Amino acid sequence: MAGRRAGNIVILTGAGISKESGLDTFRDADGLWSKVNLEDVATPEGFIRNPQMVHDFYNHRRRELQKDDIRANAAHHALGRLEAEWPDDVLVVTQNIDALHEEGGSENLIHMHGEMLKARCDRCGNVRCWVDDIDIETACPECAVAGGMRPHVVWFGEMPFEMERISQALSQCSLFISIGTSGNVYPAAGFVREAIFSAKAHTVELNMEPSEGATLFAETVYGPATAVVPAYVDRLLAEGY
Ligand code: APR
């Protein structure tokens, strides 16, 4: 019999949940920020300085994402299963710009740092699905102006998306789970405090190793997401919270 539950669950995910699908994290030893300078490719200033370098960086990652062997893993599917069992009670807020949560079955999902498979025109604001390369000559399909297209992702110094909706969910949740994130980047790294102080939520960290905010969590389980997340979801569904 499914366990009792006492209200909403907010689940924050980071790059660690997609690592076992074959996508790099950012701050692990072999992470993206050990290979490129984030100031050059993930800031508005870097884009102004050298837009083609930024396009090349995202074009490479966009092509990677679409390779057949980059698939949702057992952790993504476990979160999809949790939402299917407890519809309306589960919100996934991901920092990831891949589309693996969608493939794993999550529908109540916020991409707070945007989506790699979408592009935005800085001239007219149009946002649309985008699977091809972008370069400095690419014209906007909506306004036809060339040179203003960019990945629909949030760079350092820019405001993440849907912060109102996220704060609202955190203020009403009874369970906050953080998965695969190092807790280095705000505002996401502050969500655990919001869940504690505005909702007195139970807080859980599921990660490969203790994050920057590890001591704030009431419960921690460390190990690879594809092992730890399905096991935690099974326990939630069996015992409730
Ligand atoms: N299973 C679970 N956790 C893992 C795994 C795994 N297989 N592999 C790595 N991790 C953990 C690491 O221990 C680390 O704590 O995932 C975390 C990844 O941390 P980061 O690389 O900092 O990624 P993230 O927290 O998502 O970064 C947040 O920073 O650069 C920006 O916009 C970027 O969204 C990103 C944000």
Side-chain angles (χ1 to χ4, degrees), residues 93-129:
V93 179
T94 187
Q95 301 173 90
N96 299 340
I97 57 177
D98 60 52
L100 298 178
H101 277 302
E102 290 85 341
E103 186 185 331
S106 291
E107 294 178 5
N108 201 15
L109 171 66
I110 294 177
H111 279 277
M112 64 179 288
H113 289 168
E115 299 174 65
M116 177 79 83
L117 299 180
K118 287 186 177 170
R120 182 169 82 238
C121 172
D122 263 350
R123 305 292 191 277
C124 70
N126 179 260
V127 174
R128 64 177 59 209
C129 293

Side-chain angles (χ1 to χ4, degrees), residues 174-193:
S174 45
L175 178 59
F176 175 76
I177 307 173
S178 177
I179 303 173
T181 181
S182 63
N184 267 289
V185 176
Y186 286 81
F191 290 172
V192 57
R193 284 187 188 80

Side-chain angles (χ1 to χ4, degrees), residues 13-17 19-20 24-28 31 33 38 42 95-97 113 154 156 179-185 188 206-211 223-226:
T13 67
I17 199 170
K19 180 77 182 285
E20 290 161 270
D24 284 341
T25 61
F26 295 93
R27 293 171 186 82
D28 283 333
W33 299 149
L38 72 83
Q95 301 173 90
N96 299 340
I97 57 177
H113 289 168
V154 177
F156 287 95
I179 303 173
T181 181
S182 63
N184 267 289
V185 176
L206 308 179
N207 206 50
M208 187 62 108
E209 62 198 5
S211 71
T226 56

Side-chain angles (χ1 to χ4, degrees), residues 216-232:
L216 293 165
F217 289 88
E219 186 182 0
T220 57
V221 184
Y222 296 119
T226 56
V228 167
V229 177
Y232 197 84

